[in-house]
Short mmCIF file of all heavy atoms in Angstrom, two decimals:
data_model
loop_
_atom_site.label_atom_id
_atom_site.label_comp_id
_atom_site.label_asym_id
_atom_site.label_seq_id
_atom_site.Cartn_x
_atom_site.Cartn_y
_atom_site.Cartn_z
N SER D 9 124.76 74.01 358.76
CA SER D 9 124.88 72.58 358.44
C SER D 9 126.18 72.30 357.69
O SER D 9 126.80 71.26 357.90
CB SER D 9 123.67 72.10 357.64
OG SER D 9 123.64 72.74 356.37
N THR D 10 126.62 73.23 356.84
CA THR D 10 127.89 73.07 356.15
C THR D 10 129.04 73.09 357.13
O THR D 10 129.96 72.28 357.05
CB THR D 10 128.08 74.18 355.10
OG1 THR D 10 127.00 74.10 354.16
CG2 THR D 10 129.40 74.04 354.38
N SER D 11 128.97 73.99 358.09
CA SER D 11 130.02 74.08 359.10
C SER D 11 130.07 72.82 359.96
O SER D 11 131.15 72.30 360.24
CB SER D 11 129.80 75.31 359.97
OG SER D 11 130.80 75.40 360.94
N VAL D 12 128.91 72.33 360.37
CA VAL D 12 128.87 71.11 361.19
C VAL D 12 129.42 69.93 360.41
O VAL D 12 130.24 69.17 360.93
CB VAL D 12 127.43 70.83 361.69
CG1 VAL D 12 127.32 69.45 362.31
CG2 VAL D 12 127.00 71.90 362.69
N SER D 13 129.01 69.78 359.15
CA SER D 13 129.52 68.65 358.38
C SER D 13 131.02 68.78 358.12
O SER D 13 131.74 67.79 358.11
CB SER D 13 128.74 68.49 357.07
OG SER D 13 128.90 69.62 356.26
N ALA D 14 131.50 70.02 357.92
CA ALA D 14 132.94 70.21 357.72
C ALA D 14 133.71 69.83 358.98
O ALA D 14 134.75 69.16 358.90
CB ALA D 14 133.24 71.66 357.34
N TRP D 15 133.22 70.22 360.15
CA TRP D 15 133.90 69.87 361.39
C TRP D 15 133.83 68.37 361.67
O TRP D 15 134.77 67.79 362.23
CB TRP D 15 133.36 70.67 362.57
CG TRP D 15 133.89 72.08 362.56
CD1 TRP D 15 133.20 73.21 362.29
CD2 TRP D 15 135.25 72.49 362.80
NE1 TRP D 15 134.03 74.30 362.34
CE2 TRP D 15 135.29 73.89 362.66
CE3 TRP D 15 136.42 71.81 363.10
CZ2 TRP D 15 136.47 74.62 362.82
CZ3 TRP D 15 137.58 72.54 363.27
CH2 TRP D 15 137.60 73.92 363.13
N LEU D 16 132.72 67.73 361.27
CA LEU D 16 132.65 66.26 361.41
C LEU D 16 133.67 65.58 360.51
O LEU D 16 134.29 64.59 360.89
CB LEU D 16 131.23 65.76 361.12
CG LEU D 16 130.19 66.07 362.18
CD1 LEU D 16 128.80 65.67 361.69
CD2 LEU D 16 130.51 65.36 363.48
N LEU D 17 133.86 66.14 359.31
CA LEU D 17 134.88 65.61 358.41
C LEU D 17 136.28 65.80 359.00
O LEU D 17 137.12 64.90 358.93
CB LEU D 17 134.78 66.29 357.04
CG LEU D 17 135.76 65.83 355.97
CD1 LEU D 17 135.62 64.34 355.69
CD2 LEU D 17 135.57 66.65 354.70
N VAL D 18 136.52 66.96 359.62
CA VAL D 18 137.80 67.21 360.28
C VAL D 18 138.02 66.16 361.37
O VAL D 18 139.09 65.55 361.47
CB VAL D 18 137.84 68.63 360.89
CG1 VAL D 18 139.05 68.80 361.80
CG2 VAL D 18 137.86 69.68 359.79
N LEU D 19 136.99 65.92 362.18
CA LEU D 19 137.10 64.93 363.27
C LEU D 19 137.35 63.53 362.73
O LEU D 19 138.23 62.81 363.22
CB LEU D 19 135.82 64.96 364.12
CG LEU D 19 135.79 63.99 365.29
CD1 LEU D 19 136.86 64.34 366.32
CD2 LEU D 19 134.41 64.02 365.94
N LEU D 20 136.60 63.13 361.71
CA LEU D 20 136.77 61.81 361.10
C LEU D 20 138.18 61.61 360.58
O LEU D 20 138.83 60.59 360.85
CB LEU D 20 135.75 61.62 359.97
CG LEU D 20 135.86 60.35 359.16
CD1 LEU D 20 135.41 59.15 359.98
CD2 LEU D 20 135.05 60.47 357.89
N CYS D 21 138.69 62.62 359.87
CA CYS D 21 140.05 62.51 359.30
C CYS D 21 141.11 62.52 360.39
O CYS D 21 142.09 61.77 360.31
CB CYS D 21 140.28 63.63 358.30
SG CYS D 21 139.24 63.52 356.83
N ALA D 22 140.93 63.34 361.41
CA ALA D 22 141.91 63.40 362.50
C ALA D 22 141.94 62.10 363.29
O ALA D 22 143.02 61.61 363.64
CB ALA D 22 141.60 64.57 363.43
N VAL D 23 140.78 61.51 363.56
CA VAL D 23 140.74 60.23 364.28
C VAL D 23 141.38 59.13 363.43
O VAL D 23 142.15 58.31 363.95
CB VAL D 23 139.29 59.87 364.68
CG1 VAL D 23 139.18 58.44 365.16
CG2 VAL D 23 138.80 60.84 365.76
N SER D 24 141.09 59.12 362.13
CA SER D 24 141.72 58.14 361.24
C SER D 24 143.23 58.32 361.22
O SER D 24 143.99 57.34 361.28
CB SER D 24 141.16 58.26 359.83
OG SER D 24 139.80 57.91 359.80
N GLY D 25 143.67 59.57 361.15
CA GLY D 25 145.11 59.85 361.17
C GLY D 25 145.76 59.40 362.47
O GLY D 25 146.86 58.84 362.47
N ALA D 26 145.08 59.66 363.59
CA ALA D 26 145.63 59.25 364.89
C ALA D 26 145.73 57.74 365.00
O ALA D 26 146.73 57.21 365.50
CB ALA D 26 144.76 59.80 366.02
N TYR D 27 144.72 57.03 364.51
CA TYR D 27 144.77 55.57 364.55
C TYR D 27 145.93 55.05 363.70
O TYR D 27 146.68 54.17 364.13
CB TYR D 27 143.44 54.96 364.08
CG TYR D 27 143.52 53.46 364.03
CD1 TYR D 27 143.44 52.71 365.20
CD2 TYR D 27 143.72 52.79 362.84
CE1 TYR D 27 143.55 51.33 365.18
CE2 TYR D 27 143.83 51.41 362.80
CZ TYR D 27 143.74 50.68 363.97
OH TYR D 27 143.86 49.31 363.94
N CYS D 28 146.08 55.62 362.50
CA CYS D 28 147.17 55.19 361.62
C CYS D 28 148.54 55.53 362.22
O CYS D 28 149.48 54.76 362.07
CB CYS D 28 147.01 55.82 360.24
SG CYS D 28 145.58 55.20 359.33
N LEU D 29 148.63 56.67 362.90
CA LEU D 29 149.89 57.04 363.55
C LEU D 29 150.24 56.05 364.66
O LEU D 29 151.38 55.61 364.79
CB LEU D 29 149.79 58.46 364.11
CG LEU D 29 151.07 59.03 364.70
CD1 LEU D 29 152.15 59.15 363.64
CD2 LEU D 29 150.78 60.39 365.33
N ARG D 30 149.24 55.66 365.41
CA ARG D 30 149.45 54.66 366.47
C ARG D 30 149.90 53.33 365.86
O ARG D 30 150.81 52.68 366.36
CB ARG D 30 148.15 54.49 367.26
CG ARG D 30 148.27 53.53 368.39
CD ARG D 30 147.00 53.56 369.23
NE ARG D 30 146.97 52.42 370.11
CZ ARG D 30 145.94 51.64 370.28
NH1 ARG D 30 144.81 51.89 369.66
NH2 ARG D 30 146.00 50.61 371.08
N ARG D 31 149.25 52.96 364.77
CA ARG D 31 149.60 51.71 364.09
C ARG D 31 151.00 51.80 363.49
O ARG D 31 151.76 50.83 363.52
CB ARG D 31 148.57 51.44 362.99
CG ARG D 31 148.60 50.06 362.43
CD ARG D 31 147.37 49.79 361.59
NE ARG D 31 147.11 50.79 360.60
CZ ARG D 31 147.41 50.67 359.31
NH1 ARG D 31 148.00 49.58 358.88
NH2 ARG D 31 147.13 51.62 358.47
N ALA D 32 151.37 52.97 362.96
CA ALA D 32 152.71 53.16 362.39
C ALA D 32 153.77 53.06 363.47
O ALA D 32 154.85 52.52 363.23
CB ALA D 32 152.80 54.52 361.70
N GLY D 33 153.48 53.55 364.66
CA GLY D 33 154.43 53.46 365.77
C GLY D 33 154.70 52.03 366.16
O GLY D 33 155.83 51.65 366.48
N ARG D 34 153.67 51.20 366.10
CA ARG D 34 153.83 49.78 366.44
C ARG D 34 154.55 49.01 365.34
O ARG D 34 155.28 48.07 365.62
CB ARG D 34 152.47 49.15 366.69
CG ARG D 34 151.81 49.62 367.95
CD ARG D 34 150.51 48.90 368.14
NE ARG D 34 149.85 49.35 369.35
CZ ARG D 34 148.60 49.07 369.65
NH1 ARG D 34 147.87 48.35 368.82
NH2 ARG D 34 148.08 49.52 370.76
N ALA D 35 154.28 49.41 364.08
CA ALA D 35 154.84 48.66 362.95
C ALA D 35 156.15 49.24 362.46
O ALA D 35 156.73 48.72 361.51
CB ALA D 35 153.82 48.65 361.81
N GLY D 36 156.61 50.33 363.05
CA GLY D 36 157.87 50.92 362.62
C GLY D 36 157.75 51.72 361.34
O GLY D 36 158.67 51.75 360.54
N GLY D 37 156.62 52.36 361.11
CA GLY D 37 156.45 53.21 359.93
C GLY D 37 155.73 52.50 358.82
O GLY D 37 154.69 51.89 359.04
N GLY D 38 156.27 52.55 357.63
CA GLY D 38 155.68 51.91 356.47
C GLY D 38 154.45 52.66 355.96
O GLY D 38 154.30 53.86 356.16
#
Side-chain angles (χ1 to χ4, degrees):
S9 66
T10 300
S11 180
V12 169
S13 62
W15 283 109
L16 288 173
L17 181 59
V18 169
L19 180 65
L20 175 72
C21 294
V23 168
S24 294
Y27 176 77
C28 292
L29 185 62
R30 182 173 166 227
R31 194 167 51 100
R34 290 182 180 168

